[in-house]
Amino acid sequence: MAWLGTSELVSAVSNAGGLGVIGSGDAPTEWLKDQIRQTRERTDKPFAVNIMMMSPFLKDNLELILAEKVGIVTFGSGNPGSYLAGVKEAGCKV
């Protein structure tokens, strides 16, 4: 749900007992950083970020997710195999 899975929806879903997922799509890293931080302001519940493997910001967004210690990461539109070990070592659930 790229561009629709924003902090407002994600935090509402997480606050209601579901797992909200920020849809990063092909969003730039600064946008994703703002969404992660706004979600944290709106909820203390778990949430995830979805990484689109075809994004031109893939590596930067993944580094951001690890730096921000987002606990859950999902992947779409490609094979994340080469990234899984590093993501799991950082403590993220995939």
Side-chain angles (χ1 to χ4, degrees):
M1 290 187 44
W3 303 107
L4 297 175
T6 62
S7 63
E8 294 88 353
L9 177 60
V10 172
S11 57
V13 170
S14 291
N15 284 332
L19 179 63
V21 180
I22 297 172
S24 68
D26 62 351
T29 306
E30 198 59 38
W31 180 89
L32 181 56
K33 183 177 185 178
D34 289 342
Q35 292 302 304
I36 291 169
R37 292 184 176 179
Q38 289 174 31
T39 300
R40 287 201 169 123
E41 290 175 8
R42 293 181 163 110
T43 187
D44 60 352
K45 308 289 187 209
F47 66 92
V49 174
N50 177 265
I51 294 289
M52 185 177 79
M53 298 300 297
M54 296 174 9
S55 170
F57 304 103
L58 168 66
K59 290 181 181 179
D60 291 336
N61 284 349
L62 193 52
E63 286 177 14
L64 171 69
I65 289 167
L66 299 180
E68 289 287 325
K69 300 191 185 306
V70 174
I72 305 166
V73 180
T74 63
F75 293 92
S77 300
N79 183 349
S82 62
Y83 297 97
L84 293 181
V87 171
K88 289 179 180 180
E89 286 175 17
C92 290
K93 294 183 183 188
V94 179

